[in-house]
């Protein structure tokens, strides 16, 4: 009697309390994404509408009132409007402001119905000519599908969210193209390492130099500064000598050049990757950008696509890994008279243009083709429009929430299934902080506060990963049951013998008594 | 002004024929980068310097890093002094920058990362084998740091070095194993040798004579001794091809200097061996206190390769050579005592200098499970007590930190100094034993650091080729040289339990408990009835008689 609780107490594994119910609730989480959209009307549109933004109107009028002498000024009108509208009301992260202008306005060029600028504003041309008598509701009903379309371009659409969740949730298979798109970009992570590597296959034939510091500063850094709320980025570069491609390019005598086919590109990366080296100092995913400069005997080298046509950028990218660009310098070699090695300075503008485009792809800044009638301002110096950042933040937040949820639910399942695992207090606290951050993130998402939602979702991911990968979970995991038997059998086996014997005796006595009764009856 | 950082890469191979007939080859690759790792600016663009190492240095704010992996023990008495000494197994010592606040945590992380970079078990370095030497390991680069709380030193004497450690080491070289001297680094030959040691040293050095700015220097060294009998088939005839199964065809195109040196000091007078192809270039240098002569092959010159376009040096002995100069300082260490409870560690330090006494620093780090009795520490030379002038002793804490004993000893000329300390073996917990506990437990090498008087200064004949006025006072820089000697690691048997014992104990106690339980159970469950004993024979007869008589029975 004394022994049993004592034994129970000393042999049980410590398991701290976990908010299992809340985790289970999370498993059936349904997030409702809300965006704040605002429509401003100008007086041209409708006098009936109660909402009138005098200032906006005035600005638009001012712009229109200016001298429209040349065609070129007309064409930049909408750009100017975008800027001044932005300075007027800085819209918060995650919101979309749609300005509706009358059908006849010259603010937008002919044939353009919607204009999306650099910021979080769009200018929408009123569709069909509206007669004055219609009321407010009809007007809204008329505009609603078009505003939805604008919002889908500028913040998120169903396919974006599907793509963000594609790793975690099995969805109905979409088109092959969209699946490839969704798998191209890196998964959401609190930080990324960007590594530029210059591959020099033969330092005897050319000595390469690149101004990577300046190039990063002027081309990559503005984009990363813009993306700073999303993740931490660190950039480094290296030069690798005697780095070969995995395949031998074929010589095409008609082009007098070496060619790499699209089919063989898959084999290029592996041998190079062994030399790249992983970042020992962090565990964030690495985006590799390689610049390969073929040596004098193997240049020029062109990449051909599936249609055997040369690729204009002479570059390709590998999903979730990075990009490779081939940089031909054969025109810099003299006709055999210059002594080797030749000093070559690489034109970074050409290289960085390609790498920047690849980086945008890898980070998931997808510029999906705009619907007809849309005019999207091409990305400027920062390389990223505000609304593109918002778009990315929406999908990343959803992805983070999904990841953290799956991690925490699978941890809970695991702990539930395997009773041997010790759950320490710090793991319990990590789990509960994950749950609270997740709940907060979902609440903020529903309220439309994108910035906070992203912040909370990042915290949730960090805490959930820390809990999941805590080494203390493994301490007693490999304590198999047969060892327990081996320890308990020497005790229980001898103890069983008298018990069994007395049971047999009781049974035989009972049988005898029954026999005795029967014989008495007889 | 943004000046592009300057880089410099040099490679070098020194071949020294040893008097035992073995041959010693020492590679050095040096990369210098004029970048300030210790400044506030983050260094992230690498050219010749390996990125993986640079990132580690930046992230962990490392001022100096020295790591070596060695297989085999350097036999000082047979081979003389190595150019770069290293203890058997792995050795790591790091000076952190004074901006590091949590040195122990950083050290732990650093060892884990380095263990990944070099594919070695450096992650086994923890507080139980890490010490902070107070005097023995001073920074080798610039910077006059005296606060040894930023220094960490650890050895893993058990570490086995093999190909998987060589491959990442080669990856740090700019030319990899594709060109230059590194084509000789083929693992099947390098590890078929008596001694193999590879090391990486990172330290800050001066950029200009005024030392206004610093550069980072990375030295990668690889030392290997090929055995006369296993690699040389007993013939005293060595060539590059025989040693490395490769010949040299070119220098690394990135190297500013690429040279092969062959030590021919004994050759001009005695001519014990012949070197072909001969080279007109000779250079003299004072190495380890001795003036040596070297034949130099400059790989950046096409002439070095001759008509065959490949360089395959051949050293052929003609006669058995003369006496080797006895190393001035060497040491031995062993464990004495019997039984599994107590023991004694003996360290013998030899000073072979005929007339000069010199001080040495002795450092020994002993694991906590050998409990040193520091009051039994005795130091004696020539039969007399030799009091150390400085002792730094840090007692161990069980399962936390090892013993650290550092002392400054004066070695009398031509003497043996013996340092003895007794210890008791501790009992380990059963999970603390290694998988092969009966093999024994290693105790890392002791380190002897000394300024040894130079042989050059000892040479009285030096007046012959120098003017008289220059040679009265011994020349300062040649008077003594710094040297580090590593003793043998110790293998100590600890009391090892029978590992099935816990189970035996469980079985035995369980059986006793079960027997006790069985009798108790029987006592509780059995019903006891008073049994009528059958009357005895006398009683029965008496009853029969009584029945006859009609008297009541008994």
């Amino acid at each position: 009697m004394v022994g049993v609780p004592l034994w129970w107490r000393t042999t049980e594994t410590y398991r701290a309390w976990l908010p299992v119910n809340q985790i289970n609730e999370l498993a059936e989480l349904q997030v409702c994404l809300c965006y704040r959209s605002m429509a401003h009307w100008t007086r041209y549109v409708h006098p009936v509408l109660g909402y009138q933004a005098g200032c906006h109107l005035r600005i638009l009028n001012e712009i229109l009132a200016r001298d429209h002498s040349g065609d070129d000024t007309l064409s930049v009108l909408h750009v100017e409007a975008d800027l001044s509208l932005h300075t007027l009301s800085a819209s918060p992260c995650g919101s979309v402001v749609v300005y509706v202008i009358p059908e006849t306005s010259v603010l937008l060029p002919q044939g353009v119905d919607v204009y999306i600028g650099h910021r979080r504003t769009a200018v929408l041309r009123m569709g069909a000519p509206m007669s004055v008598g219609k009321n407010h509701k009809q007007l809204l009903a008329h505009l609603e599908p078009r505003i939805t379309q604008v919002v889908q371009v500028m913040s998120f659409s169903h396919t974006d969210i599907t793509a963000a969740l594609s790793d975690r949730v099995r969805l109905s298979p979409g088109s092959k193209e969209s699946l490839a798109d969704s798998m191209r970009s890196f998964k959401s992570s609190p930080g990324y390492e960007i590594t530029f590597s210059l591959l020099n296959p033969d330092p005897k034939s050319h000595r390469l130099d690149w101004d990577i510091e300046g190039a990063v500063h002027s081309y990559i850094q503005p984009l990363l500064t813009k993306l700073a709320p999303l993740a931490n980025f660190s950039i480094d570069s290296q030069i690798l000598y005697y780095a070969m491609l995995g395949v031998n390019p074929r010589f095409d005598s008609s082009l007098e050049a070496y060619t790499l086919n699209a089919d063989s590109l898959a084999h290029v990366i592996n041998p190079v990757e062994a030399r790249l080296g992983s970042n020992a100092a962090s565990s964030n995913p690495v985006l590799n950008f390689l610049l390969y400069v073929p040596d004098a005997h193997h240049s020029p080298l062109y990449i051909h696509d599936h249609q055997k046509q040369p690729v204009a950028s002479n570059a390709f990218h590998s999903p979730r890994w990075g990009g490779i660009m081939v940089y031909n310098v054969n025109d810099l070699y003299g006709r055999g008279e210059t002594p080797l090695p030749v000093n070559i300075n690489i034109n970074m503008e050409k290289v960085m243009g390609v790498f920047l485009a690849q980086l945008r792809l890898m980070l998931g800044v997808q510029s999906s083709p705009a619907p007809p009638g849309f005019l999207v301002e091409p990305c400027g110096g920062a390389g990223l429009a505000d609304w593109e950042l918002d778009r990315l933040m929406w999908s990343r937040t959803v992805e983070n929430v999904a990841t953290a949820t799956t991690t925490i639910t699978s941890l809970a399942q695991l702990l539930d299934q395997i009773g041997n695992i010790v759950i320490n207090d710090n793991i319990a606290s990590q789990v509960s902080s994950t749950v609270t951050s997740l709940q907060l993130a979902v609440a903020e998402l529903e309220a439309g506060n994108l910035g906070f939602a992203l912040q909370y979702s990042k915290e949730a991911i960090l805490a959930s990963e820390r809990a999941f990968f805590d080494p203390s979970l493994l301490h007693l995991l490999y304590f198999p049951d047969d060892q327990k038997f081996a320890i308990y059998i020497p005790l229980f086996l001898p103890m069983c013998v008298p018990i069994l014997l007395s049971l047999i005796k009781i049974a035989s006595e009972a049988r005898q008594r029954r026999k005795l009764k029967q014989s008495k009856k007889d | 002004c943004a000046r592009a950082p300057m880089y410099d890469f040099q490679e070098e191979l020194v071949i020294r024929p040893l008097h035992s007939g073995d041959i010693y080859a020492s590679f050095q690759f040096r990369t210098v980068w004029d970048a300030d790792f210790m400044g506030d600016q983050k260094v992230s663009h690498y050219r010749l310097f390996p990125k993986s190492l640079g990132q580690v240095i930046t992230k962990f704010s490392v001022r100096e890093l020295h790591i070596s992996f060695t297989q085999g023990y350097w036999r000082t008495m047979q081979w003389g002094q190595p150019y770069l000494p290293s203890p058997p197994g792995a050795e790591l010592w790091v000076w952190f920058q004074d901006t590091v606040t949590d040195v122990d945590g950083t050290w732990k992380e650093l060892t884990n990362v380095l263990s990944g970079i070099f594919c070695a078990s450096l992650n086994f370095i923890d507080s139980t084998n890490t010490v902070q030497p107070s005097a023995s390991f001073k920074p080798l680069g610039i910077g006059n740091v005296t606060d040894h709380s930023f220094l960490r030193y650890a050895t893993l004497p058990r570490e086995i070095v093999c190909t998987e450690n060589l491959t990442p080491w080669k990856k740090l070289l700019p030319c990899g194993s594709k060109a230059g001297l590194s084509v000789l680094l083929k693992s099947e030959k390098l590890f078929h040798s008596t001694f193999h040691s590879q090391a990486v040293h990172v330290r800050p050095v001066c950029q200009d004579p005024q030392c206004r700015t610093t550069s980072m220097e990375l030295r990668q060294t690889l030392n290997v001794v090929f055995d006369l009998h296993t690699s040389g088939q007993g013939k005293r005839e060595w060539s590059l091809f025989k040693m490395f199964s490769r010949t040299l065809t070119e220098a690394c195109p990135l190297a500013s200097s690429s040279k092969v040196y062959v030590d021919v000091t004994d050759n001009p007078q005695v001519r014990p061996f012949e070197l072909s192809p001969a080279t007109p270039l000779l250079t003299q240098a004072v190495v380890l206190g001795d003036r040596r002569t070297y034949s130099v092959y400059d790989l950046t010159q096409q002439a070095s390769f001759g008509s065959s376009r490949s360089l395959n040096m051949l050293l052929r002995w003609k006669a058995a050579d003369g006496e080797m100069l006895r190393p001035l300082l060497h040491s031995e260490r062993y464990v004495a005592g019997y039984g599994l409870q107590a023991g004694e560690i003996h360290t013998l330090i030899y000073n072979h200098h005929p007339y000069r006494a010199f001080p040495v620093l002795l450092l020994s780090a002993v694991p906590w499970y050998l409990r040193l009795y520091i009051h039994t520490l005795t130091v004696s030379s020539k039969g007399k007590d030799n009091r150390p002038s400085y002792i730094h002793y840090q007692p161990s804490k069980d399962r936390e930190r090892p013993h650290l004993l550092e002392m400054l000893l004066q070695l009398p000329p031509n003497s043996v100094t013996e340092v003895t300390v007794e210890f008791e073996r501790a009992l380990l917990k059963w999970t603390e034993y290694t998988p092969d506990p009966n093999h024994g437990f290693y105790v890392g090498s002791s380190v002897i650091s000394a300024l040894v008087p130079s042989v050059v200064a000892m040479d009285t004949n030096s007046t012959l080729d120098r003017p008289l006025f220059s040679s009265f006072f011994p020349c300062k820089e040649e008077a003594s040289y710094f040297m580090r000697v590593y003793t043998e690691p110790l293998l100590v048997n600890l009391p090892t339990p029978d590992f099935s014992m816990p189970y035996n104990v469980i079985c035995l106690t369980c059986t006793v408990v079960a027997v006790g339980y069985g009798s108790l159970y029987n006592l509780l469950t059995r019903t006891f009835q008073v049994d009528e004993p059958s009357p005895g024979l006398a009683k029965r007869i008496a009853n029969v008689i009584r029945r006859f008589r009609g008297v009541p029975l008994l």
Side-chain angles (χ1 to χ4, degrees), chain B residues 26-179:
Chain B
S26 172
F27 293 87
Q28 278 214 26
F29 302 90
R30 179 175 185 261
T31 314
V32 181
W33 181 17
D34 298 355
D36 192 10
F37 272 91
M38 283 176 289
D40 305 324
Q41 241 181 340
K42 211 172 151 275
V43 181
S44 53
H45 299 290
Y46 300 89
R47 284 174 171 92
L48 283 179
F49 204 88
K51 179 170 79 92
S52 56
L53 211 57
Q55 278 175 332
V56 171
I57 291 168
T58 326
K59 174 160 188 206
F60 297 106
S61 306
V62 173
R63 171 184 284 276
E64 262 188 40
L65 181 142
H66 303 270
I67 184 167
S68 76
F69 300 98
T70 308
Q71 186 75 33
Y73 180 69
W74 182 269
R75 290 165 203 154
T76 313
M77 284 312 276
Q78 285 180 41
W79 296 341
Q81 292 297 342
Y83 296 122
L84 279 151
S86 55
E91 183 197 41
L92 174 67
W93 58 283
V94 173
W95 274 96
F96 291 98
Q97 288 172 29
D98 44 15
T99 50
V100 180
T101 46
D102 176 21
V103 182
D104 285 310
T106 318
W107 167 252
K108 184 74 208 147
E109 271 187 68
L110 174 69
T111 50
N112 280 314
V113 168
L114 287 176
S115 116
I117 291 183
F118 291 104
C119 282
S121 338
L122 295 174
N123 52 328
F124 284 105
I125 293 177
D126 53 10
S127 67
T128 63
N129 47 23
T130 304
V131 290
Q132 298 174 36
S134 65
S136 294
F137 288 90
K138 289 286 159 206
L140 294 183
I142 54 164
N144 201 3
V145 195
T146 45
D147 187 359
H148 63 265
S149 60
F150 295 106
L151 169 67
R152 292 291 181 279
Y153 173 84
T155 53
L156 293 173
R158 227 188 135 88
E159 182 74 15
I160 309 284
V161 185
C162 203
T163 322
E164 74 266 23
N165 306 110
L166 182 69
T167 314
W169 184 91
K170 277 199 286 194
K171 256 192 205 172
L172 300 179
L173 295 172
C175 277
S177 49
K178 297 278 172 42

Side-chain angles (χ1 to χ4, degrees), chain A residues 193 195 203-204 207 209-213 216 234-239 241-242 244 274-282 486-487 490-491 494-495 498-499 502 505, chain B residues 5 42 44-48 51-52 55-56 59-60 113 117 171 173-176 178-179 250 253-254 503 506-507 510-511 513-515 517-518 521-522 525-526:
Chain A
E193 313 283 326
T195 303
K204 268 194 296 185
R207 208 169 272 154
D209 199 26
W210 61 350
D211 176 27
I212 183 75
E213 288 92 344
V216 163
S234 75
I235 306 176
D236 40 43
S237 77
Q238 58 182 345
I239 301 182
Y241 300 94
Y242 292 103
M244 309 287 183
R275 292 280 312 275
L276 291 180
S278 54
N279 189 345
S282 91
I487 287 170
L491 178 64
M495 273 166 67
I499 296 174
S502 53
K505 208 170 169 187
Chain B
K42 211 172 151 275
S44 53
H45 299 290
Y46 300 89
R47 284 174 171 92
L48 283 179
K51 179 170 79 92
S52 56
Q55 278 175 332
V56 171
K59 174 160 188 206
F60 297 106
V113 168
I117 291 183
K171 256 192 205 172
L173 295 172
C175 277
K178 297 278 172 42
E250 58 173 352
L254 306 164
Y503 187 63
I506 288 173
C507 285
C510 288
T511 316
V513 167
V515 167
Y517 168 81
Y521 180 85
N522 273 346
T525 52
R526 291 274 158 91

Side-chain angles (χ1 to χ4, degrees), chain B residues 411-426:
Chain B
L411 303 183
N414 206 5
S415 68
V416 187
T417 305
E418 183 169 16
V419 181
T420 324
V421 65
E422 286 179 20
F423 66 87
E424 190 191 54
R425 294 164 166 95

Side-chain angles (χ1 to χ4, degrees), chain A residues 251-415:
Chain A
F251 186 72
D252 193 334
S253 47
S254 63
L255 292 170
E256 290 199 348
Y258 290 84
T259 57
L260 267 178
N261 282 331
D263 304 328
S264 57
L265 291 180
H267 309 289
V268 164
I269 293 170
N270 275 358
V272 178
E273 177 143 45
R275 292 280 312 275
L276 291 180
S278 54
N279 189 345
S282 91
S283 48
N284 290 330
V286 183
L287 285 85
N288 292 294
F289 294 101
L290 313 185
L291 183 67
Y292 180 79
V293 184
D295 56 295
H297 304 293
H298 295 92
S299 66
L301 175 65
Y302 295 113
I303 297 175
H304 280 196
D305 60 8
H306 287 287
Q307 279 82 43
K308 305 274 177 215
Q309 290 306 308
V311 178
S313 60
N314 217 10
F316 67 99
H317 67 262
S318 170
R320 293 189 184 174
W321 185 84
I324 298 187
M325 179 181 177
V326 176
Y327 185 89
N328 287 313
V329 290
N330 53 310
D331 46 337
L332 290 175
Y333 289 113
R335 289 277 157 261
E337 57 258 29
T338 43
L340 298 176
V342 185
N343 282 323
I344 289 166
N345 213 342
I346 287 166
N347 174 11
M348 293 309 281
E349 196 186 337
K350 189 171 142 193
V351 173
M352 281 298 157
V354 174
F355 282 163
L356 195 62
Q358 285 176 340
L359 182 65
R360 280 170 58 96
L361 276 180
M362 297 289 153
L363 292 176
V365 191
Q366 280 157 341
S367 37
S368 50
F374 274 57
L375 176 68
V376 179
E377 183 72 20
C379 62
L384 193 70
D386 279 353
W387 60 268
E388 281 181 307
L389 180 66
D390 284 357
R391 233 178 115 99
L392 205 55
M393 280 165 81
W394 281 113
S395 61
R396 283 296 146 94
T397 312
V398 172
E399 194 185 337
N400 283 351
V401 169
T403 316
T405 314
T406 15
T407 313
I408 212 71
T409 42
S410 53
L411 179 66
Q413 266 178 11
L414 192 76
L415 295 179

Side-chain angles (χ1 to χ4, degrees), chain B residues 56-366:
Chain B
V56 171
I57 291 168
T58 326
K59 174 160 188 206
F60 297 106
S61 306
V62 173
R63 171 184 284 276
E64 262 188 40
L65 181 142
H66 303 270
I67 184 167
S68 76
F69 300 98
T70 308
Q71 186 75 33
Y73 180 69
W74 182 269
R75 290 165 203 154
T76 313
M77 284 312 276
Q78 285 180 41
W79 296 341
Q81 292 297 342
Y83 296 122
L84 279 151
S86 55
E91 183 197 41
L92 174 67
W93 58 283
V94 173
W95 274 96
F96 291 98
Q97 288 172 29
D98 44 15
T99 50
V100 180
T101 46
D102 176 21
V103 182
D104 285 310
T106 318
W107 167 252
K108 184 74 208 147
E109 271 187 68
L110 174 69
T111 50
N112 280 314
V113 168
L114 287 176
S115 116
I117 291 183
F118 291 104
C119 282
S121 338
L122 295 174
N123 52 328
F124 284 105
I125 293 177
D126 53 10
S127 67
T128 63
N129 47 23
T130 304
V131 290
Q132 298 174 36
S134 65
S136 294
F137 288 90
K138 289 286 159 206
L140 294 183
I142 54 164
N144 201 3
V145 195
T146 45
D147 187 359
H148 63 265
S149 60
F150 295 106
L151 169 67
R152 292 291 181 279
Y153 173 84
T155 53
L156 293 173
R158 227 188 135 88
E159 182 74 15
I160 309 284
V161 185
C162 203
T163 322
E164 74 266 23
N165 306 110
L166 182 69
T167 314
W169 184 91
K170 277 199 286 194
K171 256 192 205 172
L172 300 179
L173 295 172
C175 277
S177 49
K178 297 278 172 42
L181 290 174
S182 47
V183 293
L184 300 179
L185 302 173
K186 287 281 155 195
S187 56
E188 68 265 30
K189 281 287 181 184
L190 287 184
F191 289 102
H192 190 65
S193 59
T194 0
F195 177 83
H196 169 96
S197 168
Q198 63 189 62
V200 171
H201 302 276
V202 181
R203 60 177 182 179
V205 292
C206 282
Q207 214 172 77
D208 43 21
Q210 284 84 36
C211 213
R212 277 180 303 234
T213 45
T214 58
S215 321
M216 215 55 179
E217 183 201 62
L218 164 70
R219 260 180 211 250
Q220 289 181 255
T221 66
L222 190 141
N223 297 295
V224 63
V225 174
F226 292 105
D227 188 89
L228 171 67
H229 298 284
T230 56
S231 308
Q233 289 113 29
K235 268 191 271 177
R236 300 195 85 179
E237 191 181 302
W238 292 102
S239 66
L240 278 188
F241 189 78
K242 196 167 168 185
M243 285 189 272
F244 302 106
S245 73
R246 284 284 187 291
T247 57
L248 290 171
T249 52
E250 58 173 352
C252 172
L254 306 164
S256 63
S257 115
S258 176
K259 286 181 175 137
V260 180
Y261 295 87
V262 182
D263 190 334
V264 291
T265 312
D266 308 324
N267 232 12
Q269 297 93 32
V270 197
R271 281 206 170 277
F273 63 84
E274 187 188 323
L275 179 67
S276 68
T279 167
L281 278 171
L282 281 180
T283 183
Q284 278 209 336
V286 175
V287 180
L288 300 170
D290 194 4
R291 185 170 284 119
R292 315 289 298 178
T293 315
Y294 296 93
S295 292
V296 187
Y297 298 86
D298 190 349
L299 300 187
T300 49
Q301 306 297 320
Q302 270 307 315
S304 311
F305 298 106
S307 54
S308 60
R309 292 192 169 276
S310 84
L311 177 64
N312 184 22
M313 270 159 293
L314 186 71
L315 285 88
R316 191 181 288 123
W317 269 257
K318 288 174 164 170
D321 53 356
E323 275 298 289
M324 183 186 74
L325 189 79
R326 201 161 49 154
L328 293 183
L329 173 69
H330 95 110
S331 78
E332 289 169 5
R333 192 161 71 138
Y334 57 89
V335 179
Y338 52 87
L340 283 176
Q341 201 199 350
E344 258 186 344
I345 297 179
H346 289 252
T347 312
L348 305 176
I349 310 171
Y350 293 84
N351 176 3
H352 291 305
H353 202 284
Y355 58 87
R356 284 277 294 272
F358 57 87
V360 297
L361 265 170
L362 172 73
L363 175 144
S364 46
V366 180

Side-chain angles (χ1 to χ4, degrees), chain B residues 349 379-386 410-412 415-418:
Chain B
I349 310 171
V379 184
S380 64
S381 30
K382 291 183 167 172
K384 276 185 288 182
D385 196 28
N386 181 353
Q410 188 74 18
L411 303 183
S415 68
V416 187
T417 305
E418 183 169 16

